[in-house]
Every structure is written in C-alpha cells, then in structure tokens.
Amino acid sequence: MGEFDPHNLSEEDFHAEVHSFQFWLEAVEGYLSGTDFGFEPTLTDQTFSARELNFLITTICNYCIAEKTALEASSGMIRFAPDPESAIFLSTQVVDEGRHLEVFVHRLKMLGVIDPWSEIKARANQSLLKFKDRLLELVDQQDWEAAIFAQNVILEAMEFTVFQSQQPTADPITRSILASIVKDERRHMGFGENDLGRKLVQAPHTRRRLDQISKELNPLVLATFTETASELGILHEDRELAISANYLATIKRLGFAV
Amino acid sequence: MMADFLMGYSIQSWLESCPQGYLDGTDYGHQAGEKEPESLLDNETFREDAIRTTVQLIAGERAALAASSGLVNAAPDDPSKMFLATQTLDEARHVEIFTQRLYDLGVKKDELDSVISTYVNPNLVKFAEVLLEKVDKQDFIAGVVGQNIVLEGMAFSVFEMMHATNHTNNPKFAHTLSGTIADERRHVGFGENRIGSLIQAHPEKKEEIQKMQQEMTYHMLATFTDSFKTNEDIIEEVQAQTMNDSAPAVFHGVDLARADAREMEAVLANTVLGEFKTRLGRIGLEYLSPAA
C-alpha cells in the first residue's frame, strides 16, 4: 500500500475505501499469499495423542459450525445492506467466512476425518446451534442493526476470543490457520463496531434494542464455552473462565450490555 | 466425478487464479495509471453515452450480487456454497469497478443514485426482478439457471462485444472488461456443470425454469432494442469521426467500427441467443423463444 494511509481520508472517503474490494485484496494479499488452505505448505503435522486428537477434532467441528453460520448470515445480509459500500464489505466477508469453513473442513480431513459433515453434526455444540438459529432468524427478518450486531459483534467477538485463546498452544498447522483467520475477524468486528457506532449516534434509541439482543445472546455464547469444555471432559476451568471473561470484556468495551 | 469437479471451484482455487492471478497488480480492474480517453471526456454526448452504458452494467452486476449472495443459503452442498461465496465477491467487485468508472467519467459520489435511476433501462430492471423472484423463493435450480446461464450468458457476450469495440480506443475500459469476462466464464462454467445433474434429478422443474428463461429473454431483447435505438446517432457520430483511422473491431464476423446500430443489435442478440440454446441444451433444457 506504499505511503497511502486510509486514516488521512475524509470520513466519507474512509468508509468507501475500507469497505472496498480493492482494500480487501490488498489486505489479504499479504497474509494469504503462498498459503495452501490457510497454512504454509512447508509445515508438517505433529503426532497427537488420542485425547489431543479428539479435543482438536471436536474444537474444529464447532469452528466449522460457527463459520458456516457466519457464511450464511453475511451472505443473507447483502440484499438488505443500507448502502453499496456495506454490500461490498459484506461480500468480502462472505468469501472470508467461506474460506474459513473450507480451511477448517480441510484441516479435519488432514486429521483423518473421512466424512467431515457427519462428524460436525455428531459433535455439534447445542448452544451454538441455538445461537445460529437466532442469528439467522434476525437475518431473515431483514433487521440490519440486529443482524449486524449479532453477526459482526457477538459472533465475531466469540470467534475472535476463542481463536486467540487457542492460537498460542495450538499445533503449528492449526496455529498458522488461526493466525490469518484472527486477522479477518478483526476486520469484520471493525466493520460491525464502526457501522453500529454511526447508527447509534443517529438513532440512540437503537442501543436499548441491541442491549436486549446482547442480553439474550450472551448466555448462549457462555453456554457454548461451558458445553464444549464439559463435552471434552477436560479440566480447563481456568481457561474457560478466561475465555468467558475476555468475551464479556470485548462486548462491554464496545459499549453493550453484558 | 462431482467432488473433483467442485474442487476446481474451491476458494483456494479462486484465490490462486483470480486475486493472486489475473487481478494481481490491477487497480479497479485495469492497469494502474490508465485513464478514460480525453476524446470521450471532452465530448458531452460521448460522455453521457458512456455513463448510460456503464449504468446498465452496474444494474446487471447489482442483480448478480443480490442473486449470488441470496443463493448461498439455498445451495444443496457446501462446495456449491463455497463457489457462490467467490461469485458473490466477484459480482461485488464488478459493481465496484463499474461504479468507479462512473466516477472516472465525472459523476459525483452524491449523484450516484440519481444518475443510476435516471439512466437505468426499465426492461433491465424487469429482467432482474424475474430472477430475484426465484432467489427470494430460495429456488436453487431456477436461481442458478437464471443467474449463471441467462444473466451471465448475456453479460459474457455484452462484455466481449464492448471489449472488441474498446480495445484500441479505450484500453482502460477494455482491461476492466477483460477481468470481468474471465470471471463470467467461470460462473457460466459452474452453472452448466452443477445444474445438469440437478435438472436430471428434478425433471418437474423444467417447465417453470424454461418459462423464466423465456421471460428474462424477452426483457433482455427489449433492453438491447432500447439501447441501440438510443445510441443510433452516437454510433454514427463516433464512426464519422474515426472512420479513416479506426482499426476493425470484429465481433462474430461483424466489424463494429463500421456496422450500424441495427447490425450491432442483431449480432449481439443472435450471439446471446445462440449461446443460450447451446448452454441450455447441455443441461437438458429447451430454449423457449419469447415470441412463442
């Protein structure tokens, strides 16, 4: 991008710039260039114990559910996006979410899962499925503020928190995959924050409705963390508490009720 | 095998061939530094004609964006979802680069909506409405035929014709079109390959889909007639100015640098309809003429 800095643009030009395909292309070219299904092709897999493998497969199966939810929600929102720039940004998000789903399904195959979608169904976190249903309901209702809040703030914050938490201790290939996905999630959350920030200035009464949605969805997010920990039969209470606290702190930092 | 065929449409393949392939180093679809020709910008009639033409491209691409994104959730399998995700971003890019062309032609950002509603052809709007009705019903088979065979088939030939007209006079616009033509070729290929087996599995859908194609074709041909009628005088003016020094711009045997508006309309309509017949035949559908 040379010496160009989008932050020097006027507010209107800034939004047009950062929501463009061109901006996305330049952003992802850096960190996806030379990768193969999200990781450097030179990386090789470590040997996993049966318990570690089971943990990793369950975790990635649920990442697939979250990413498929995000793919379906972001594609469904394009039709009722309030302006062309938002529609173009969401299109970049659609391909990001599709890529995440594709690399996670590919990772499952690398880990020896023959039929990934049967495995995903079998290991699905029920709280996450409830969250998915509620989010897609908001998308079907073409409720822009509620859908963008549930998708680009709540779901993205949940994924961001979990991916960031797993990244340092993950095996090299999963760590590499998560590193680029976290960068995408940061961009998606930024869009959600920015869009809602502007809407809330124009229509402060919207906050109360979003706070209600936040209060409705947060328990499902926290239940997802707890359910996964319990299903895996692991004693990672400290980590689970840390993930929950990080997630709630993110929502609070964005100014919404927890 | 279906699985192998769909792997060719994965996001990984798309990343390698499109953003990291033929779009690498481009700036809104053309080479950096390329500009619209001064002869176009300085002539108000030519500039208005270029704006009118570009508005039709934006209207078509906006419909394609709404359709491809709307079909993601209706896709019966994940590889098809992945392909439609890449198509969604392709169509969004097309909306963006053609919108950028309007700005390059002197349209101000706050005038965008009014310029589009002033110049958009009402027949093209109806064409899009027929397609989006199927998308709204989450009818995947009809939606993909309408989007990836009919709309994309039309766009493919229109872009090729425009490319032939512009490749010597306006390299910037010709380069913008080259990338979209490459995208459309991929989209049409997916439509043909994926839908054939679904039509075989759902023969009861044939009649309804053929009726949709007939209706879309009617509105498409009406759009062509309107557009060439509006442009008749401009085509003559451009040809009079460039008659002595313009290189032949051959499109399906017709030299566009010397053809009149009627010849241009006929060659475009015949090319698109010929493509429809071939492609619909490949997926087991019969082409229905709007006159029938």
Side-chain angles (χ1 to χ4, degrees), chain A residues 42-221:
Chain A
T42 49
L43 290 174
T44 49
D45 240 332
Q46 66 181 59
T47 308
F48 296 101
S49 69
R51 191 162 171 271
E52 284 170 338
L53 190 61
N54 181 50
F55 179 96
L56 187 56
I57 289 173
T58 299
T59 304
I60 293 179
C61 280
N62 282 291
Y63 288 173
C64 288
I65 294 171
E67 296 296 351
K68 193 173 179 184
T69 304
L71 170 62
E72 294 183 358
S74 53
S75 60
M77 279 190 272
I78 289 175
R79 191 75 183 276
F80 59 98
D83 50 71
E85 287 83 13
S86 299
I88 289 170
F89 177 82
L90 281 174
S91 305
T92 67
Q93 187 171 341
V94 166
V95 106
D96 287 335
E97 309 296 5
R99 186 185 77 82
H100 303 168
L101 180 57
E102 184 173 282
V103 298
F104 283 135
V105 169
H106 185 261
R107 184 74 184 119
L108 287 176
K109 288 180 184 166
M110 286 178 78
L111 295 171
V113 176
I114 294 161
D115 182 355
W117 283 103
S118 301
E119 204 64 42
I120 291 165
K121 206 173 166 190
R123 295 178 188 240
N125 185 308
Q126 295 308 304
S127 303
L128 187 55
L129 291 179
K130 278 184 201 158
F131 179 92
K132 176 185 180 172
D133 290 345
R134 183 65 181 121
L135 168 57
L136 294 180
E137 209 175 275
L138 295 172
V139 173
D140 282 344
Q141 289 164 359
Q142 306 213 340
D143 183 340
W144 174 257
E145 281 84 15
I148 207 76
F149 176 68
Q151 152 81 20
N152 281 49
V153 175
I154 304 263
L155 177 60
E156 296 287 337
M158 169 166 64
E159 290 181 334
F160 182 77
T161 310
V162 173
F163 295 161
Q164 267 208 323
S165 150
Q166 195 200 355
Q167 209 184 326
T169 53
D171 64 274
I173 291 180
T174 306
R175 186 162 62 235
S176 175
I177 290 170
L178 290 173
S180 64
I181 292 180
V182 163
K183 287 178 183 157
D184 292 339
E185 309 297 9
R186 206 187 291 270
R187 208 168 47 247
H188 304 162
M189 277 169 66
F191 172 78
E193 274 182 57
N194 209 296
D195 183 80
L196 288 172
R198 278 179 289 148
K199 293 270 167 12
L200 288 172
V201 169
Q202 289 159 5
H205 58 276
T206 308
R207 179 176 295 278
R208 193 183 302 165
R209 198 159 63 89
L210 297 183
D211 279 341
Q212 279 169 354
I213 295 169
S214 182
K215 282 180 185 164
E216 178 195 344
L217 294 179
N218 285 333
L220 287 176
V221 174

Side-chain angles (χ1 to χ4, degrees), chain B residues 178-212:
Chain B
S178 299
T180 58
I181 290 169
D183 292 340
E184 307 300 5
R185 188 172 287 133
R186 199 169 53 247
H187 302 163
V188 173
F190 172 82
E192 269 187 43
N193 285 301
R194 183 69 192 96
I195 290 299
S197 56
L198 289 173
I199 297 271
Q200 266 186 342
H202 298 277
E204 76 283 358
K205 298 279 299 171
K206 279 187 183 183
E207 195 182 333
E208 179 201 344
I209 294 172
Q210 286 169 175
K211 202 162 169 288
M212 172 195 71

Side-chain angles (χ1 to χ4, degrees), chain B residues 14 21 35 48 98 123-124 138 144 191 228 233 239 251 254 264 281 287 289:
Chain B
W14 175 84
K35 292 189 168 25
E48 188 185 11
F98 292 134
N123 288 299
L124 188 57
Q138 294 288 284
V144 171
F228 284 101
D233 295 341
Q239 288 176 346
F251 177 72
V254 174
M264 286 190 186
Y287 166 77
S289 163

